[in-house]
Amino acid sequence: TRNRGTEKPDPEIVGVERIIRGIPGVERSALGFMCKDIIDTGRMLWLRSKGLDADLVSYVPSDVSPENHLLMAKCRS
């Protein structure tokens, strides 16, 4: 078994964590939503490349829920 208490942290991870902690919360949140948009768009494009009709849909206003995107896909008719 590995004793995690004696492992040295990966310097790259520590550096990234330090950078992220230095970003103000509002900006960090906005960056997180941009990352989610990139990932969702990639998923939608992948589904389309596999022959499905796919779209990202906002199903409630963002003031109701900022997590308001839905990836919808169906077989092409």
Side-chain angles (χ1 to χ4, degrees), residues 49-63:
S49 77
K50 299 300 177 189
L52 289 104
D53 286 327
D55 285 302
L56 286 169
V57 179
S58 295
Y59 59 92
V60 294
S62 58
D63 61 335

Side-chain angles (χ1 to χ4, degrees), residues 3-70:
N3 184 348
R4 293 187 175 228
T6 60
E7 289 180 17
K8 291 184 179 180
D10 184 332
E12 288 184 23
I13 293 173
V14 171
V16 170
E17 288 176 355
R18 188 176 305 123
I19 291 167
I20 291 170
R21 278 192 223 116
I23 299 172
V26 172
E27 290 179 29
R28 196 170 50 239
S29 178
L31 181 60
F33 281 110
M34 284 187 261
C35 291
K36 287 180 182 187
D37 286 344
I38 291 168
I39 291 167
D40 287 343
T41 299
R43 290 174 173 156
M44 179 188 67
L45 294 173
W46 183 85
L47 288 167
R48 288 179 179 176
S49 77
K50 299 300 177 189
L52 289 104
D53 286 327
D55 285 302
L56 286 169
V57 179
S58 295
Y59 59 92
V60 294
S62 58
D63 61 335
V64 173
S65 172
E67 304 275 343
N68 65 345
H69 292 122
L70 174 67

